[in-house]
Structures are given as structure tokens and as C-alpha cells.
Amino acid sequence: MNTSSLSIACIRSLVIDQINKSKSGHPGMAIGSAPILYTLFTRHLKADPTHPKWMNRDRFILSAGHASALLYAILHVAGYDLSIDDLKQFRQLDSRTPGHPEIDVTPGVDCSSGPLGQGIAQAVGFALAEQSLKNLYPNGKNIFDHYTYCLCGDGCLQEGLSQESISFAGHQKLNKLILFYDNNNVTLDGSLDLSFSEDVKKRFEACEWEVLEVKDGNDVEEIDKAITKAKISPKPSLIIVHTVIGYGSINQGTSKVHGAPLGEEDGRRAKELYKYNYPPFTVLDEVYQDFKNTFIKRGQEKYQAWENLFNEYQKNYPQEAKKIISAQNNSVLTELYSDDPRFDVGVKEATRQTSKTILQFLHANIHNLIGGSADVAGSVYTKIPNEPFFSPEHREGRTINFGIREFAMASIQNGMLLHGGLRTYVGCFLVFADYLKPAIRMAALERIPAVYIFSHDSIAVGEDGPTHQPVEQLAMLRSIPNVEVFRPCDANEVATAYRLMFAQEDHPVCIILTRQALPTLNGTLTKDREKGGYVVSYEVKHADITIIASGSEVSLAIEAQEKLLKQGIDSRVVSMLSMERFLKQDPSYIKETLGNDYSKRITVEMLSSFGWHKFAPHVMSIDTFGASAPFEDCLKKFNFNSDELVRRIKEIL
Amino acid sequence: MNTSSLSIACIRSLVIDQINKSKSGHPGMAIGSAPILYTLFTRHLKADPTHPKWMNRDRFILSAGHASALLYAILHVAGYDLSIDDLKQFRQLDSRTPGHPEIDVTPGVDCSSGPLGQGIAQAVGFALAEQSLKNLYPNGKNIFDHYTYCLCGDGCLQEGLSQESISFAGHQKLNKLILFYDNNNVTLDGSLDLSFSEDVKKRFEACEWEVLEVKDGNDVEEIDKAITKAKISPKPSLIIVHTVIGYGSINQGTSKVHGAPLGEEDGRRAKELYKYNYPPFTVLDEVYQDFKNTFIKRGQEKYQAWENLFNEYQKNYPQEAKKIISAQNNSVLTELYSDDPRFDVGVKEATRQTSKTILQFLHANIHNLIGGSADVAGSVYTKIPNEPFFSPEHREGRTINFGIREFAMASIQNGMLLHGGLRTYVGCFLVFADYLKPAIRMAALERIPAVYIFSHDSIAVGEDGPTHQPVEQLAMLRSIPNVEVFRPCDANEVATAYRLMFAQEDHPVCIILTRQALPTLNGTLTKDREKGGYVVSYEVKHADITIIASGSEVSLAIEAQEKLLKQGIDSRVVSMLSMERFLKQDPSYIKETLGNDYSKRITVEMLSSFGWHKFAPHVMSIDTFGASAPFEDCLKKFNFNSDELVRRIKEIL
């Protein structure tokens, strides 16, 4: 048996062993794809397992995350800090080998994946980041120069997200992106032709991709040739590899090997076919040696060469080198404003307008800030003046027109952040947060500081009507673990929200903005606004009632407060800039702010009441869909005004 | 000027007038596409404006919903019950001409649209329904025989949903689906080539569509020829029509006419170019006459012919004809079970397992029930034995393999229900409710009885890990207006949930199912379970504490209750089968069930606590992401067991 056959047999056996031991997992594709990853690692992938976070390594993303056992097997034999004992803990609690790949859990895993399609989209983000970084620094082309590889199956290509991603990648000519398609003709429910018969080659060609094909997925030489060709293509490349799902199993080629362990007997049978008749978890020295001679040797040499290059770079461009290093941890370099700019009290402007001002300021001052919108830059106000769009002709562009592809936009952002070196933001209408929600969840899982700018934040959207008026979207965002949502009530709060959003590095944040103008308040000048919730108007210690409001409803609440005062009713208004942040404060501060008596509180938000009862038993909200009408008429229809709030409060008291 | 030019000029003028009057709207595509709709209506569309709900009419779906002014203009001149006064109320409160088309608001509107991509996906559902209905009844091919037309722009094609939909439609050879692509090379943020350069023709061909092209979007004869060809193609057809956005405006061909009114001056200028120099909202008699001679005449004749045919059919197939008629309003014909089947107390089975039993029973007994899953039929248990999948070869199949295309699946369901004549369901894992959420919202807006079967409903998913373990998804579903969510705790509740789900006709419903086995309880036998929430264990009038649980946590709560009782603590357990249903009950029943004292209540659900504080200040929940491990280990890690619940309750008391 030649070396590569032996190594592939070993890797396949490790897949079988992991899944058999844990009695859970997806062996089919993991076994079938083994020669792809083997060829990639031993002949092409530039990475040094002793420096798994090297910024110029090639990236590999397993979009078909259910084939995780394959990735773990190969990371082990390739010398990453992942032991046989780790493999034995496959899918066990707190192990380094979870069911689907998780970033920061396993050395060598560049990206979390599992929800189908999202690996491809994130890979596009990695490839975009590489192109962007090259042009962000003088002579950056030497420092950032790597490929992004991705492996997907049928599932990823059926998901619409894949189309958004490949159309964008083709349009952007992200030529250093290479996608393997494990074409095994089987899905969970049976044969692929039950649901899928499109011409994948043609579809990718239509989207400006290079398409290569490997007829025999066990043929290392053919896979190698395809990768070599793909690397020099001026377009992103798809390599279609025809494989046999569960190769070697008695059920090979059927859906029976998709999601169930082979079991001992069938496992032994498969290993016999591979001619790898060893006890479970055996790795022959020849296999380790194979990877040492190829992958590890190449990786270490490349790493060393790059180190030398970067040392040279540091001498020639000390400032830039410093920026490059510190940008790696996603942190925003400049202490831009420890205190927020002041806005004139009483001046009315839409919070999307203030957002525009701040965003343009950040853009001018944070050299590695890049972002864009899903074709609504002119409405969400993410346009940066005198700045070319990022494009094949303008790789230096730091604004991106993602097209009308919300989900891909957000997933690409995830990839860019995971790549490292950039800070990012993306924007669209709040109601279309629905389209990209799965990507926010992924960002939250990955603990990356993705920034979402959502404007047009209530029924005040007006004429576009119920399909365009958010109601429950804010509840949806607030309910995602590890996500922080800001809904500023005026210019001061917008500035604070931006500062807090970009100051952190470990979770996604959303800022929710109005289309309509809001007055800049006096009460928002307090430092307490950083606490997420605070008394914004009338510091009354024993108010009869606490009105808790957010965004556009804070000024409405203050209006009601004035009316109540004339009727002898003392109230306080709390601005709830961010529930999540507020709830992290000291319990005594929380209590003091809200007032002791739960029954004497009311919340006001022109969106769903869902989730607000944590703060108050009384809610003024919109719990039905909106209506198409000028926004003043909408508000009238839903009786959303300070008089109604006053009426309700008097009823409570 | 010939008749068609005059009519098109009039329609374009009505578009300009509506938008100018309301000072809001999207004139660009509405003006550009006018000849497409004109040709379709006058030469092909089979519909009778005096019978707008005729079951065998051709359907038209405006996927580019922002071009609503065009649809309203043509519906008016085509004789629908939509007056000039209605057009003058464009985008005004409670008018029949809202910002985006809304079903049941405007006669002649077959589908709500606006959120991009969803019109195309729903159109696929319409076309699928036609094919299914043909084969559902003997000689059904005569009764159901119509085309589904759809008009989209660039935005719809950029959305990934369009790819899922066209790939599915091509695979299913839905040849009576004809999609117009208004190719005007402009999006909101500017020229299309900023974000889109794919070869649309090739992409659709790759997905097994017929593709036709019309070079001049003002050429009625060319459009006519293309439609004629498309109608006889054995594949679904795309007609690419090259148009000029905002044709006639000084800003024609640019993004400036996308989303802003032309204004009086530019409007007048455009009308001059059209040679239609009349005051706003003028419709010449020649125009009405044009439609009378063509669209209306043809429609009435076709309607009459079909009426005769159906009368004949009623004679030959009286039973079937009766079924056809009553199925039109989406109602389930048979009173299948007014009382639910009984399940043996104590027997343990997963609620997905009971769901399978009930679903198969419904399938066998409801002749027009059709549904499927996103390639997880084997896990969500939506497989129907001895039933072929719906396919070009098996149009009689009543189970659909939608492929790994959750969003399209749900949108297609919407189209099928809007078509009328069928009842439906779709299924996938709860965590991937994220992918299809926008379609549930649309179903809720459309007030259609879409059914979603979501299994694998908590961290008890186990080994697949955090990307596959739902946490916040249930909150997301519950927060959507007009959606009812059921999370049954045992077999009895599953049966009830199904009965209630299929008994209604005006809103979407979700049923949330476990992967793991649950005991069948005694307390679930009460009739009160229909109320959505009820005391499931120990009818204690003055319990020390009320435990409110749902799904798999109800039996856990009962376990805790028994332990508490041994320690002298009286408690009641409330099963919250459906929050929405429970909250619609009489306030006194709600109070009685939950107990008077808000502070003496605790909720238990192994998902996010978000939204539960409406019922109790204390919550036992999962508010972080899960973990990859055998599910027992997961539960241990999160300390989710009856002992912990007992501990917390004692702390409260």
C-alpha cells in the first residue's frame, strides 16, 4: 500500500472509531471525503500546527459540519494539539471534539459550522478579508497572502444562502476561495434525486466561478491536479468531487450511512476493505511520518519565511506592523472617544441620522473598519462619502454593497471577523433581521463582535405597510443568548451605543434606529446611560409610577410624565437603552432604577410586548401587525400617544 | 396611437398619479413593467374580475411587491372591484391599495408580497397546488387547469430563497409556472452591477428552466410571443424582459426613480412622452374598452365554460364535487375526531412519535392533506408509509421532499394554502425555525392555517451540540402575532394539539416535539387541555406554589411536586400547552389556573426564559447556548432536574 492510501485508510478508520465509540455522529460524508482533506493537507494547505492562529495561514472551513469526525481525525494526524484521547471523547461533554466544529474549542478549527450553508458564506467572508487586508496596509500583499478552502455537501448547496454567497463571491472575483463539493448523491432522507437535480457546474459557472471536476473521489492525484488548477484561476473555484458516501461500509452509497454509526462489525468490515486492520484508534507511525514530511514540514517552513518577512516589515513599517498585530484580536485600536460627543438638546433628528454621523466618524478614524448594507445604504445611512465600494477594481474600498442578500451579508461578516484583522458592521431594515437571524445566532455562538445596524424600527415605517413594519423582531433579537441590543432614544444614546458596541470584542451587538426624527434630550447626558437602563427624567425617589421606555418612546414617555405631573402624579421615566446591559448591573441599582414595586411600573415600546414583563406587569406595545399609512395615521390607528399612556397610568393608580 | 400603446400609457400614468398623490411609493419598476402586465392581462391571463376567487383562474403574483401601484392600476382598468377613488387612497390608512399587495384587502390580489423572494416561492406553491389538485380527484385535470404567473425584479433573484424555489420548481417540472424577470439593471443603491453580475439565463437553465428573453420591454408583440412559447414548455419558464426603470422620467434608468415619487413636473413630462396628456387619474373610455374586448371577454367566456364543465362534473362525481367545493375554504372536511384517542397512562414515547401516529391517521383520512419536510422526514417523523413522494412521475403523491430548503418549504406551503383546495404541513428541527421564520411571519400576515412540525425541541437534542440545540427559537415563534404555538407534554396533548391545529382556518400553528421519550400522564385527560393551559396535577385550590411547565418539563414538574409534597409543600402543576390559547381564555379562568399571587409562581421550560415573566417572576430555563454531549450529560451540566426545581421553590417560599 502506498503512503497516501495508508494515511487515508487510517483517517477513515479514526472516523469510524470516533463515531462508534460515541455511538453518535455522521460517518457517511466524513468517510467519503477523507481523500479530499488528505490531499489538501499533505499537498497544499499552508498552516503550521504549532502556530494555529498564524494570521497568514490558509483557512479551512468544514461547511458540512456534521463531518466533524473527519476534521478531528486529520487535525490529530497533522500534528495539532488534539490527542487520541481527545478523539475518544468525540461528542462528549466539555470535550475538544464536539458534534459540530466549534471555534476556540479545537485547535485548527477556523470556524464554527453545522447549520447548512453558513460554512460557505463564512468562507466567502474569510476570502474577502484576505483581499481587503492586502490592500489596507502598504506592501500588505506580502503579509496577507493565503487561500481559503471550504468543503461542502449537497445540503449546503440546496440552502439558498449558498446562492447568495457564490453569486457575491463570483461578482467580487474572490479568486483565492476554493470550494470542494463532496458530491455523493445521498441526503438524510434518501437519494439526492428525490429533491435535487440541478446542474451544479452550470449554476456556478453562471455565477462566475471556475468549475473543476474529479470523477473519482479516491484519486489523490486527480484531486491534487484540480487544486493546483484552482489556485491559479482568476475566479473563485468549485471542485466537484464524486465520492461514495460511507465508502467501505456494507451500506455505502446509501442514506443509511449518513447519520448513524457503522457499529463494530461493519466498521471492522470497512477497515478490512481499507486494509487497515488495527484496533480502534490505532495510528501507525508511517501516517504521522507522512504528515511530518509534507504538511508539517511545509507549514513550518512557510511560517518561518513569513516570520522573517514580517520582521523585515516591522523594520520598514513599524507603525503599520503595530496596527496589524493589535488588529488581530478584533480590538479597535484608537481610543476614539472615551467621552461621547455632545449634541444640542432639543434638536430633532432621526437616530439613523446620528448613526450616520458617528459611523462616518468611526470610518474615518478606524483604519480597519469595513462594512456595508444589503442594498439599503441610502436608507439605513451606511453610505460613506468619497469612498469607493469594495470591488475587484477597488480592493481598498471599505464599504461593501452586499446586494439584496441579508443572510449572506451577515454570514460573510462572521467570516471576516473570524479571519481577524478587521472590524465590521452590516445594515438593513429591522424587519429583515428575520432573513439574517441564523447568522446572528452563529455570531453569538462564535463570540465575535459582529455589528448590526437596523433602521426603520417600528410601525412608524408608515406607508410600506405591515410586511415592512417590525413588531416582533426586537423580541427575537433580545432573546438570542450572548447578543446585546441597543435601542437609543436620542443622539446622545446613539453615540454611547456605538462606543460600547465597538469597545467590546466578544459578542454581537445590534443597534436599532428610527426613520423618524426624535428630540435630543437633556436627561441622556448622564454617565448612567452606559448602564443600559437609567432614570432619564425626573429623579423622583418615590415616584407613583415608573415608566420604562426605549428608543422613540422615551420622549413620548417624558411627554406623558409632564401631563401626569400637572395632575399631581409623580413618575419617573427610565430609558432602557439595552435590556441585556441593564440586567448585568448590580441588583441594587436595578431595583433602585425601576422602583421597588413591580405592580407600579409600565413599559412603553412601539413593538411587541413579548419579553417586557420581566420589568413590569403593564405594557403599552404593538402586539398585532401594523398598517400601510402615513406614520402619523398609523400611530393614531394604534392609539399610540402620550394621552393614552396617561390614561393607562391613571387606571393603574 | 394604437390601442395597446394608449392603454399602457394610461396604466403608467395611473402609477405616477397614485404615487404622486400619496407622496410615497416605488414608481421605477411599476412604470417599467407596465407592458408586461398589460400583455399578460389582455392576451393571456384567464380570470374573471366578477369572480375574483374562481378556483380555476390563472394566478398572478407580484413578487416585486413594491411595484404595487402597477398592479392596482391594471386591476382597476381590468374591471376588478377597485375604483379610481381606491387608487386615490394609495398607501392610506385602511384603503384597498396598501403599500405592498395584501391578500383579502384588494380584489384580484392573489398573494401578499413585499419581502423579496417570497413572491417567487409562493408562486411555486401555487403551481404545485395546481398539479396536486389535478391528480387528487378523478378527471381532476379538467377542473384544475391554470397557469401561475409571477413578476420579479433583481431583488427577488438576489435573495437566496429564489434559488431554493427555482431549483425545487425545476426539479419538479412545474411547467405551468411562468416567471417574468423585469431586468432593469438598477437597485435601490444604484446600478445593479455594483452587486450582481451573474448570468441569470444560465443559472435558470442549470435549474432546469426554459429561459426566454425579450430585448425591448416596451414591445408587446415580443412579450406576447414569449408567453405563448412559455405556456407550451414542459419546464417552468423564465421570461427575461429588458426594461427601463422609470421609463419616461427625467431620471429613467437610474436608482433615483426606484423609491421616490416623480413629482408633478416630472410626472407631467413622462405623461407627455407617453402622449397621455390628461389630468391625474384620467382613464379614457378606449382603455376600459380595450380590456373589455380582451381580458374581460375572455375571462367571462372561460369562466362560463368552466362552470358548465363543473356542473357536468357535479353530476358525474357528486361526492368529489362536494369535496372540491368545501375544500376551497381550507377547512378540513371530515369531523375526524371530536374526542381525542386515548393513550395508555405511563407508557413512554417521544412526542414526535405520537405526532407520527396522528399525522399518519390524518393523512389516511383527510384526502387533501399534503405536506413534507426539509430532508428530515426520518427524524421529524413526517414520512408516510406506502406513499410515493410528490414528483413529476407521481403527481398523486401527498408527501413532498422539499430538500434542504427550509425557507422555500415554508413559503411554498403559503402558496399552496393561498391557492386553496389543500391542507398542508411542513416539518424540520426546531432550531432551524430560524431559517424559515420570514415565511411564518408571512403566513401570519396572510391569515392562513400553515402547520409547522418542529421536533428536537431543546438541549436534549444532545450530541449534535449548540448549533443544533434550540434555546431562543420558541420565544421567537411565540412572539409572532397571529401564530399559535403548541408544546405538548405527552401523547394526549399531541392529539389535542393536532385536532385544534386542523380545526382552524385563519392562522399558522406550530407544534413543538421532543426527540426523547415522555410518559403519558393521567392529568392530561381533562377536557381543559383545550384551553391551552390547565392544572395537570393536584387540584389544590390554595397551593403554596404554582409550577407552570410545558412539554418535556411537565413530567419533571410533577416529579418535583411529589418531592415537595413529602416535605409538606402543596403545589399545583400547570401544563402550558399553548400560551396564546391560554391567554385567550376568560380572565377568571386564567387567574384561577395560575393562582392569585404572582410572586408564588415558577415556570419551567428547558429553553429561553424570554417571554415567561408574563406568568411568573421565577423561571427555570436555559438562557445560554447548549453543549455537545449525550443528553443526560447536557441536562446534568445545566442542572436541569426536579431536585433543582425543588431547591428553587423552597428558596422562594
Side-chain angles (χ1 to χ4, degrees), chain A residues 374-445:
Chain A
D375 197 55
V376 284
S379 305
V380 181
Y381 292 168
T382 56
K383 244 176 199 155
I384 306 296
N386 312 317
E387 171 88 25
F389 278 117
F390 177 85
S391 72
E393 296 75 36
H394 289 287
R395 291 297 196 216
E396 78 283 11
R398 289 195 291 129
T399 60
I400 305 170
N401 189 331
F402 287 98
I404 301 148
R405 307 179 179 107
E406 295 83 3
F407 192 2
M409 169 175 78
S411 281
I412 290 169
Q413 171 172 238
N414 291 348
M416 290 165 72
L417 287 171
L418 287 175
H419 183 283
L422 297 171
R423 281 304 287 255
T424 62
Y425 61 88
V426 300
C428 71
F429 295 150
L430 177 56
V431 78
F432 297 121
D434 281 0
Y435 276 59
L436 55 76
K437 196 255 171 174
I440 306 184
R441 183 175 218 254
M442 187 56 102
L445 280 161

Side-chain angles (χ1 to χ4, degrees), chain B residues 38-52:
Chain B
Y38 171 78
T39 313
L40 176 64
F41 271 68
T42 56
R43 305 207 181 178
H44 294 276
L45 197 79
K46 175 181 76 177
D48 177 357
T50 57
H51 296 93

Side-chain angles (χ1 to χ4, degrees), chain B residues 108-214:
Chain B
V109 165
D110 290 328
C111 180
S112 298
S113 59
L116 294 175
Q118 290 197 52
I120 297 178
Q122 293 183 98
V124 172
F126 278 90
L128 191 155
E130 195 250 0
Q131 291 292 339
S132 173
L133 285 165
K134 264 183 200 310
N135 293 283
L136 205 55
Y137 301 97
N139 270 343
K141 286 187 176 59
N142 296 321
I143 307 302
F144 300 99
D145 179 22
H146 69 79
Y147 288 93
T148 300
Y149 297 96
C150 179
L151 171 61
C152 77
D154 306 299
C156 288
L157 295 188
Q158 292 195 27
E159 292 289 356
L161 174 59
S162 68
Q163 180 61 25
E164 296 182 8
S165 310
I166 67 164
S167 179
F168 178 82
H171 176 75
Q172 290 286 354
K173 296 194 176 34
L174 298 176
N175 61 308
K176 297 185 75 180
L177 174 62
I178 297 174
L179 175 61
F180 299 98
Y181 165 33
D182 174 280
N183 184 197
N184 61 30
N185 286 314
V186 172
T187 67
L188 254 182
D189 272 352
S191 172
L192 180 64
D193 60 17
L194 287 173
S195 62
F196 196 73
S197 49
E198 68 185 39
D199 183 337
V200 171
K201 181 172 190 289
K202 199 165 174 181
R203 173 178 153 204
F204 273 76
E205 282 173 352
C207 297
E208 304 162 88
W209 282 56
E210 185 81 45
V211 182
L212 302 155
E213 207 154 355
V214 175

